[in-house]
Structure formats: C-alpha cells, structure tokens
Amino acid sequence: MNVIDHVRDMAAAGLHSNVRILSSLLLTMSNNNPELFSPAQKYQLLVYHADAIFHDKEYRNAACKYSMALQQKKVLGKTSKVRTSTSGAAANMQAQSLPSEIEVKYKIAECYTILKLDKDAIAVLEGIPSRQRTPKINMMLANLYKKAGQERSAVTSYKEVLRQCPLALDAIIGLLSLSVKGAEVASMTMDVIQTGGAILYNVDLLVSLADVYFRASDTKNAILKFEQAQMLDPYLIKGMDVYGYLMAREGHLEDVEVLGGRLFNISDQHAEPWVISGCHSFYSKRYSRALYLGAKAIQLNSNSVQALLLKGAALRNMGRVQEAIIHFREAMRLAPCRLDCYEGLIDCYLASNGIREAMGMANNIYKTLGANAQTLTILATVCLEDPVTQEKAKTLLDKALAQRPDYTKAVVKMAELLSREQKYEEGITLLRSALADQSDCVLHRMLGDFLVAINDYQEAMDQYSIALSLDPNDQKSLEGMQKMEKEESPTDATVELDGDDMEGSGEDGDLEGSDSEAAQWADQEQWFGIPSH
C-alpha cells in the first residue's frame, strides 16, 4: 500500500484534519520533486486535500483546490492518450479508482452556492454534459435556475431528476411550485407509486400545492390545501403566514385572529405568527401596528418574504413610499418567481407617479415570464394609468381573460376600464360571468356599482349585501349601500356614519412619528394577545 492509499483510507475514515496535513506535505514535496508522484496520484492528492478544506468550511480555498485538481486531470488526460495499448487495461483500472471529475465539479458548484455565487455555480454545472449529470447535479441546477427566475430551465432539470428518481418529493414540490400541472407531474411518478393516495396527504406536499394555487391566484384552492395541511399537523407553522394573509384578504379576520393566537402558543420565535397578526391589523386598517408586527417578524427571520411584503404594504399605505420600495425590492430579490413582490413594487411606483419605472418593470416581467394571465394583467394595470395606452390595456386584458376567464384581477381591471368608458351593460355581463363560478367581495361590490349606474337599485343593494357578508370590513360596499339608503331616505342623512373620519382617528396621523408609535405598540403587545419578552 502506497502513501496515496493511506491518504484515501484516512479520508474515508473521516480523519479530515490528518488528511489535510499529510496531503499538504505530500503536495509540497511533489512541487519540489515533480517525479515523486504520477499525474494520477497528484490528482488524487489535490482532491483529498480540497475535501479536507471543504470540511473545514473554507469554501473559497476549497473551490480553488478543486479547480487545481481539474487542471491536473487535464494533464492526466493528455498523458493517457500516449500510453501504449498493452497498458490499456491497467490504465482503465486506475481511472476507475480515481475520484470522479463530475463529483469534483459538483463540489466546486457547492462551494459557489454556499458563497452565494449562483451564476458561477450554474456555469460549472452547465459545463457537465447533460448525459453525465447525476440526479443530485440536476437537482442543484433546478434549484439554482428557480432561484434565478429561469423557470423553463428549472422545470427541465426537475423533470430529469424525476426521470431518474420518480419518488424524489423535492423535485415534485419544485415542479408544482413552478405551476406545472399536477396531472403532468403525476404521470412521471405514478408508474412506481402504488400508494399515490398516501402521498397526497403528505403535509409538505399539501403546503407546496397550496403555494402553487396561491401563486396562480387560485385563492379558493390555496386556502383549501392549507386547511388540509394544518388538519394533518396542528403544529404546522411553515406556510401559515401565507394562509393567514389569504384569509385576511378574504375578510375572515376572526379566523385570522384565532390562527395567530394558536401559532403564538406553538412558538413566538418564528416569523409566521407575527406576520399573521400583522395581516389582521393591516386589513383592519391599523397600519402602524401592522408595520410594527412586520418589523418583529423580520427580526426573527430576515428572509421572510411575507413579512417584507407586509411591512412594505404598511409603509406604502402610510405614505412612506420610498421605504416601502426598499422592502418590496428585498422581497423580490429573495423570491424572484413571486409576482406579488413585483406587483407591490409597481404599486409603489404608480403611487409616486413613477409610471416610466412601473412600465419598465411590467415589460420586464412580461418578457421574462412570458404572456400568461398574471403578467398580462400586471402590464395592463400600468397601461391603464396613461390615457395614451388605455387601448393597449384593453387588448392585454382581453388576452388575459381569454386564457383565464376566472382570473379575478383581470376581471376587476377590465371592469374598471368599462366603467370609465360608461359601458355598464358590458361590465354587468362580464361580472355576472365571473361570479357564476366564484363568489368574491370585490366583484359583487363592482356589480352593485354597475347596477346603480343603470338604476337597478334593488339588485344593487343585494350585491352590496353579499359583498359585506363576504367581507364585513369592505368600506366601499358599505359606502355604496349607505349612499343608496341616503337617496331613498333623505331625512336620515344626519345619522350617516362617516367611515373616513372613523378610520383616521389616530391610526395614520403622524406618519413621521412611527418610532414612537412602534414603541406604543410594543408596550401594548399583551393587550393584543401577543407574548411579551
């Protein structure tokens, strides 16, 4: 047994510090005496040395040493070509015992990933011929592509993982998160899954399915999957911040309050319960409190996208648009595939009359992610802000609704456009069609507005009532109903509630005094049912 074999055995035994010392010594000797080791032996030494450095978490140094090993492998490849045919069998045996070149490249990519040099990691892995990529290489590539917003490449890599390993649940979840249809994913796995029903009740998979529906703006199914997941695991925390946000947005504030309290009892050291309570505050129009709770969530988890979106939305609604932009940009950096991050940023640009910036971002999203209902609607939303591009907005919304007639955001924007053009009958037809398969507060309220415009007051009142039953806090539906009641009973005008005055009673007063407000909320945490520290 030669000295290289001893180094290999120590590496296999996990004696990394010993490997690092001995391999370093042998490499120094080899530099002084190039004839001491063969090219193959020097390649082995460099790989074992790099492995030991990697174990010590010196990732830049490890990447450098792995690269040196690959350079040595090239030298080895050249020398092997001039060997005689009689030594071919021995050479093949030696080549089989050498560390895999592909594994070395994977290790380099791993170093780059840890160092957050994702582009360099992708470049290294893409340098491996597709036929030689192992499942873990395809998995790493898929995750890197997804993080970089290269969805098509990510889908291809995840599918390749499933082709080789049909039960790789992380790859299944990755595909579902990229909006690949469940039936298509199932077709790649069902040949080997005999207990498919059991997998459908996997909590992580249910949460991922819920996230897929959420990103596709299918709120109903997203909420359903989140509910199924938490029924299976009452202590579930992952994804509950998105669930709470959706429930709050739908107007189920009592349920959100219960959910937040339950999660605080499980753990107040996670961002999720703070985000949920913040969403309750935000949709109760208590923006200062929502801001404070969002900040608390970010303290616990600086990578919480939902916390950043909550804080950004609170800042925007408090008129602090530039600060809001910073938070939406950070959310966008962390989750480049989530359209709601871009939507928040575009809303800020529009709020500050930055139509050019908003248009630039909307066009970029459209070009990067393709023409789907969501990207078409985002671009149309910006076009609606400029009278010159309103006709283009209509074309974009027509395309969006052709793809997804039930897409609420597209329906709402088209209804807004029809209202501007005073095409009330068209608007009523559009809204009735959208409401045939779903019940949505905003759509019912807008239908009420259109019905008022054609003097159909009785059904308008019915639509406002339905809207308020779905979201009792919907101020616009309440105002529409009160306006109609006032017109029908003018003598009762003196008792009309002024919702705007109530809303402005201290919650959004002194915007610059947010630090003192935050301190006030901190003092009153226990009053809100939030644990104190």
Side-chain angles (χ1 to χ4, degrees):
M1 181 181 288
N2 61 42
V3 68
I4 306 297
D5 294 332
H6 283 292
V7 175
R8 182 196 61 209
D9 291 347
M10 285 194 296
L15 301 176
H16 303 291
S17 60
N18 294 275
V19 170
R20 182 168 183 172
I21 295 169
L22 182 56
S23 60
S24 177
L25 175 62
L26 295 175
L27 286 168
T28 301
M29 292 170 61
S30 174
N31 290 335
N32 294 330
N33 183 5
E35 303 299 322
L36 186 61
F37 298 114
S38 69
Q41 289 175 323
K42 189 169 182 182
Y43 167 67
Q44 286 176 287
L45 276 175
L46 283 165
V47 173
Y48 297 143
H49 186 58
D51 285 343
I53 294 171
F54 182 91
H55 183 266
D56 287 341
K57 300 181 179 179
E58 298 177 22
Y59 300 114
R60 288 188 186 277
N61 190 8
C64 177
K65 295 301 189 292
Y66 282 127
S67 297
M68 290 172 63
L70 289 180
Q71 290 298 320
Q72 181 62 32
K73 187 69 165 60
K74 289 181 181 179
V75 174
L76 178 59
K78 291 177 182 178
T79 57
S80 64
K81 291 179 182 178
V82 298
R83 288 176 184 155
T84 62
S85 58
T86 55
S87 63
N92 285 335
M93 288 183 64
Q94 184 188 47
Q96 290 173 6
S97 67
L98 293 177
S100 164
E101 183 178 352
I102 293 173
E103 184 65 24
V104 172
K105 289 181 178 179
Y106 177 83
K107 282 287 190 180
I108 293 174
E110 206 170 6
C111 290
Y112 286 149
T113 301
I114 294 169
L115 294 167
K116 302 187 185 304
L117 301 172
D118 292 350
K119 289 183 179 179
D120 293 327
I122 290 173
V124 170
L125 295 177
E126 286 180 337
I128 301 171
S130 56
R131 290 184 179 180
Q132 296 179 21
R133 293 174 191 170
T134 61
K136 71 176 183 180
I137 288 172
N138 279 311
M139 193 71 195
M140 181 183 279
L141 256 179
N143 290 334
L144 287 167
Y145 283 140
K146 180 183 174 184
K147 188 177 176 183
Q150 300 178 41
E151 293 194 6
R152 291 180 184 176
S153 297
V155 167
T156 301
S157 295
Y158 280 131
K159 285 182 177 179
E160 190 59 29
V161 173
L162 286 182
R163 188 185 68 79
Q164 296 173 287
C165 303
L167 292 182
L169 284 181
D170 273 349
I172 292 172
I173 290 170
L175 284 172
L176 292 173
S177 71
L178 292 169
S179 301
V180 176
K181 292 181 179 179
E184 184 181 351
V185 177
S187 70
M188 292 183 274
T189 61
M190 280 313 199
D191 288 342
V192 294
I193 297 177
Q194 300 301 320
T195 56
I199 286 192
L200 290 177
Y201 291 101
N202 173 274
V203 172
D204 289 333
L205 193 54
L206 282 169
V207 171
S208 294
L209 280 169
D211 188 59
V212 169
Y213 284 124
F214 162 61
R215 296 190 191 202
S217 296
D218 187 343
T219 301
K220 181 180 177 181
N221 278 312
I223 289 175
L224 177 63
K225 293 304 176 187
F226 277 128
E227 286 175 349
Q228 291 174 347
Q230 69 166 354
M231 284 175 67
L232 284 176
D233 183 2
Y235 295 97
L236 178 66
I237 292 179
K238 179 184 177 183
M240 290 295 99
D241 50 350
V242 175
Y243 176 48
Y245 159 69
L246 290 175
M247 295 286 282
R249 197 178 69 184
E250 291 296 294
H252 307 307
L253 294 183
E254 289 184 6
D255 294 332
V256 174
E257 191 170 18
V258 171
L259 177 65
R262 186 166 63 80
L263 260 68
F264 272 123
N265 287 332
I266 295 171
S267 171
D268 63 352
Q269 294 304 303
H270 287 77
E272 285 82 354
W274 298 92
V275 171
I276 292 167
S277 290
C279 288
H280 181 277
S281 298
F282 182 85
Y283 283 95
S284 301
K285 294 183 169 57
R286 299 173 180 172
Y287 302 126
S288 299
R289 182 188 172 208
L291 175 62
Y292 165 69
L293 293 168
K296 289 282 285 188
I298 292 169
Q299 284 179 358
L300 291 168
N301 181 5
S302 60
N303 292 327
S304 171
V305 174
Q306 212 59 44
L308 287 162
L309 292 176
L310 169 64
K311 192 177 176 187
L315 287 164
R316 180 192 62 211
N317 283 23
M318 294 171 69
R320 295 161 61 179
V321 177
Q322 294 306 312
E323 292 174 71
I325 286 173
I326 294 170
H327 288 78
F328 285 122
R329 280 179 176 165
E330 178 62 12
M332 189 174 69
R333 186 188 69 80
L334 292 170
C337 294
R338 278 188 58 168
L339 284 175
D340 49 348
C341 301
Y342 299 91
E343 287 175 322
L345 193 53
I346 287 171
D347 286 345
C348 286
Y349 287 144
L350 294 178
S352 58
N353 295 318
I355 294 179
R356 181 178 294 179
E357 293 89 342
M359 185 64 77
M361 174 152 288
N363 273 313
N364 185 50
I365 297 167
Y366 178 78
K367 291 175 183 176
T368 304
L369 302 181
N372 58 56
Q374 292 162 287
T375 58
L376 286 163
T377 304
I378 290 172
L379 186 54
T381 300
V382 181
C383 290
L384 282 172
E385 296 296 314
D386 188 345
V388 177
T389 54
Q390 282 204 19
E391 194 58 37
K392 181 181 178 182
K394 188 176 188 304
T395 302
L396 293 167
L397 291 171
D398 282 334
K399 290 180 180 178
L401 290 169
Q403 288 187 24
R404 282 187 56 186
D406 63 335
Y407 185 40
T408 303
K409 290 182 179 179
V411 174
V412 168
K413 290 300 173 184
M414 180 62 88
E416 287 179 7
L417 183 55
L418 292 173
S419 178
R420 290 183 192 181
E421 297 174 347
Q422 298 184 357
K423 296 179 179 178
Y424 302 121
E425 294 292 348
E426 284 187 39
I428 289 170
T429 301
L430 171 72
L431 292 165
R432 287 195 196 281
S433 176
L435 286 167
D437 298 315
Q438 62 178 316
S439 190
D440 180 87
C441 170
V442 176
L443 298 184
H444 281 292
R445 183 230 301 154
M446 293 186 83
L447 180 54
D449 293 341
F450 274 90
L451 289 165
V452 168
I454 64 168
N455 302 319
D456 190 344
Y457 298 117
Q458 184 56 53
E459 192 185 351
M461 184 69 78
D462 293 341
Q463 293 299 326
Y464 289 137
S465 297
I466 295 171
L468 286 169
S469 71
L470 294 170
D471 182 1
N473 296 293
D474 185 53
Q475 191 68 27
K476 290 184 179 179
S477 293
L478 186 60
E479 288 170 359
M481 185 175 283
Q482 288 173 344
K483 184 177 180 181
M484 290 180 61
E485 290 173 347
K486 180 180 178 181
E487 290 177 356
E488 290 177 1
S489 306
T491 55
D492 296 336
T494 55
V495 294
E496 181 182 355
L497 277 174
D498 191 337
D500 290 337
D501 287 345
M502 291 178 65
E503 181 185 334
S505 58
E507 205 45 68
D508 302 325
D510 181 9
L511 300 182
E512 295 301 317
S514 62
D515 291 339
S516 60
E517 286 177 325
Q520 179 186 4
W521 292 124
D523 291 340
Q524 297 179 8
E525 280 183 6
Q526 198 164 7
W527 184 81
F528 290 124
I530 299 169
S532 57
H533 299 280

